[in-house]
């Protein structure tokens, strides 16, 4: 049996105020960028915990919260992760990625080298929990795991942006090396590797454009 609790009601804003508030938040989020040049300026563990718990407040299928966020601050572990990621990325850039993929990546000037995996003060490695171990080790289902974990990562990125921090959603695939290096159990699969921290003083970002409203919204009024 579930019990319900009251939800604090909110008074509707007048339409102009509402539009302005939405526009302000849109403008704020437009400033978020993926960073590939990090400073080594420290970020306190307590801040990382708050950011992860903000991410963990995301909605999830049947409230299963099918995620584990590994927060890696250890220099030795970051070095091992960088070496393993660069090995996979070297193979990807030298044969595994299609010509079309490499062409699509050209504007980003990326290659197999990932120094930011050591420079950034923290690496948050997100694992999706494809099932749970219930009582007596019995497997229990999670639902809509990819959708749920994707949402939690979105919450994390906006929380980081709000705190003036930056991140990269990185996918040095295949990412099984993360399972091994972090000793994660069989029910967890790597989802994203997210270095977080402050931007390097001379950091740059690719000059990319976002699609305009008419290309991302289909109205049915
Ligand atoms: C699922 C996902 C995987 C990504 N993987 C990589 C990656 O491995 N390396 C990288 O440099 N950028 C990666 N990116 C970052 C994208 O290139 C970036 O989000 C996109 O170019 C838009 O730029 P912005 O985030 O600055 O708006 C990834 C983004 C997403 C959402």
């Amino acid at each position: 049996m579930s019990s319900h609790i009251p939800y604090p009601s909110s008074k509707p804003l007048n339409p102009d105020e509402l539009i302005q508030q939405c526009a302000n938040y849109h403008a704020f989020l437009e400033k978020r960028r993926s960073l590939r040049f990090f400073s080594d300026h420290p970020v306190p563990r307590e801040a990382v915990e708050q950011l992860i718990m903000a991410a963990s407040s995301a909605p999830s299928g049947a409230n299963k919260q099918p995620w584990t966020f590994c927060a890696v601050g250890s220099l030795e572990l970051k070095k091992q992760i960088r070496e393993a990621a660069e090995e996979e990325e070297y193979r990807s850039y030298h044969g595994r990625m299609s010509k079309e993929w490499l062409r699509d990546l050209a504007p980003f000037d990326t290659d197999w080298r990932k120094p930011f995996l050591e420079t950034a003060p923290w690496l948050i490695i997100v694992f999706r929990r494809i099932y749970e171990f219930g009582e007596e080790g019995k497997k229990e289902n999670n639902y809509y795991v990819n959708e749920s974990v994707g949402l939690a990562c979105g919450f994390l990125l906006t929380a980081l942006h709000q705190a003036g921090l930056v991140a990269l959603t990185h996918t040095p695939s295949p990412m099984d090396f993360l399972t091994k290096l972090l000793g994660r159990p069989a029910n967890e699969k790597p989802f994203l590797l997210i270095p977080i921290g402050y931007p390097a003083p001379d950091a740059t970002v690719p000059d990319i454009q976002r699609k305009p409203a008419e290309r991302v919204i289909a109205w049915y009024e």
Side-chain angles (χ1 to χ4, degrees):
M1 275 298 281
S2 81
S3 63
H4 281 220
I5 52 171
Y7 181 79
S9 68
S10 49
K11 194 170 145 270
L13 295 177
N14 80 45
D16 286 343
E17 273 174 351
L18 179 63
I19 294 164
Q20 192 55 54
Q21 190 162 310
C22 296
N24 291 347
Y25 195 63
H26 171 207
F28 167 73
L29 280 191
E30 284 282 1
K31 293 200 194 104
R32 182 213 55 81
R33 292 302 309 274
S34 294
L35 259 285
R36 296 174 182 86
F37 305 99
F38 284 79
S39 125
D40 61 1
H41 191 85
V43 172
R45 185 187 199 270
E46 292 78 6
V48 175
E49 181 170 332
Q50 293 298 334
L51 291 160
I52 292 175
M53 293 317 289
S56 194
S57 73
S60 61
N63 193 33
K64 291 284 188 168
Q65 302 163 60
W67 44 66
T68 302
F69 293 85
C70 297
V72 176
S74 148
L75 289 176
E76 181 50 34
L77 202 43
K78 284 196 292 180
K79 186 166 178 281
Q80 289 174 17
I81 290 171
R82 175 189 176 177
E83 283 168 4
E86 286 186 331
E87 220 169 277
E88 293 300 350
E89 289 285 80
Y90 187 90
R91 287 203 202 115
S92 294
Y93 277 87
H94 294 86
R96 274 203 299 232
M97 287 195 278
S98 65
K99 277 198 181 121
E100 183 185 1
W101 194 347
L102 289 169
R103 201 178 53 232
D104 284 341
L105 285 179
F108 303 101
D109 286 330
T110 51
D111 62 23
W112 61 273
R113 295 177 192 88
K114 308 293 167 189
F116 54 77
L117 293 177
E118 277 187 86
T119 325
W122 294 94
L123 305 179
I124 299 183
I125 295 120
V126 188
F127 286 82
R128 59 191 174 95
R129 301 171 67 94
I130 49 177
Y131 58 86
E132 299 295 332
F133 291 109
E135 278 168 32
E136 293 163 23
K138 208 170 138 259
K139 276 189 188 178
E140 288 177 4
N141 286 334
N142 284 332
Y143 309 100
Y144 298 110
V145 170
N146 286 339
E147 292 83 346
S148 302
V149 182
L151 282 163
C153 289
F155 273 41
L156 178 65
L157 296 185
T158 50
L160 285 158
H161 183 53
Q162 191 276 334
L165 294 163
V166 294
L168 176 69
T169 41
H170 189 27
T171 40
S173 303
M175 299 199 283
D176 308 345
F177 67 89
L178 292 166
T179 307
K180 283 196 205 107
L181 284 175
L182 298 172
R184 302 314 303 169
N187 63 328
E188 294 188 9
K189 301 288 170 206
F191 188 74
L192 282 176
L193 166 48
I194 310 181
I196 69 160
Y198 288 96
D202 55 353
T204 58
V205 290
D207 185 11
I208 55 167
Q209 306 304 319
R210 300 196 202 282
K211 292 179 181 174
E214 61 272 19
R215 287 185 59 203
V216 292
I217 310 174
W219 297 102
Y220 298 86
E221 292 180 283

